[in-house]
Amino acid sequence: MPDPLDRVRTAAAARGLDIEFRERPSASSLDEAAALLGLQPADIVKTLVVKRADDTYLFALIPGDLAISWPKLRAVVGVNKLRLPEAELALAATGYERGTIVPIGSTTDWPVYADESIVGRRIAMGAGAHGYSLFVDADALIAAYGATVADISQPAAAR
């Protein structure tokens, strides 16, 4: 298996995506990660791998200060059952460990659903490997992956 950062870099280049890796110390929370990167929590986008009832997956891109809205996502996808898979299923579905998952370079190109609040922003996200963040223009990422943009988030529970 090639180095995860190389996988991400190669996949991004193949889609004409301009990305930047930034090494960072490990963080124990979103707020800590944002502070380490000099960002607001909303600028860090979580890539959630979501399992459908038919054992296929999708990626949901949710800003760090928000949470996934299951009713909204189910409505957009047009299914009545979605869930977060166990860590080993997420790894098998993407080739990335939880906490590093990114659609770029995933072992399978699952459909991407992006929360509408990331449009028009430069975002940080997982880079495929621990200790790194990836920076990319959200609009370019959405275009490169033909992502469905919709309101799929809700306020996060108090942290």
Side-chain angles (χ1 to χ4, degrees):
M1 198 66 142
D3 171 58
L5 295 177
D6 286 342
R7 256 179 47 214
V8 172
R9 194 177 288 113
T10 300
R15 290 181 185 254
L17 264 182
D18 183 20
I19 62 168
E20 173 197 344
F21 289 116
R22 196 174 303 165
E23 199 167 351
R24 65 165 175 77
S26 64
S28 58
S29 70
L30 173 75
D31 291 333
E32 188 181 333
L36 288 168
L37 293 167
L39 302 172
Q40 296 301 311
D43 296 323
I44 297 178
V45 172
K46 300 174 283 200
T47 301
L48 301 174
V49 61
V50 177
K51 187 177 184 298
R52 301 182 205 224
D54 66 0
D55 291 334
T56 62
Y57 295 84
L58 60 89
F59 291 113
L61 305 181
I62 307 289
D65 63 333
L66 298 175
I68 196 167
S69 166
W70 292 105
K72 291 177 184 177
L73 183 60
R74 285 193 301 266
V76 170
V77 177
V79 298
N80 58 13
K81 275 186 81 174
L82 292 171
R83 70 177 184 90
L84 293 176
E86 295 75 13
E88 61 274 8
L89 291 178
L91 175 61
T94 65
Y96 297 126
E97 290 180 32
R98 192 171 279 162
T100 72
I101 295 173
V102 61
I104 305 166
S106 171
T107 48
T108 303
D109 275 338
W110 302 111
V112 177
Y113 291 81
D115 188 68
E116 63 191 12
S117 65
I118 72 169
V119 169
R121 297 174 38 201
R122 183 157 176 85
I123 57 170
M125 57 196 319
H130 293 287
Y132 292 88
S133 289
L134 178 152
F135 287 77
V136 65
D137 178 78
D139 295 354
L141 179 68
I142 288 164
Y145 282 84
T148 299
V149 177
D151 174 10
I152 56 169
S153 66
Q154 64 187 22
R159 284 182 271 162

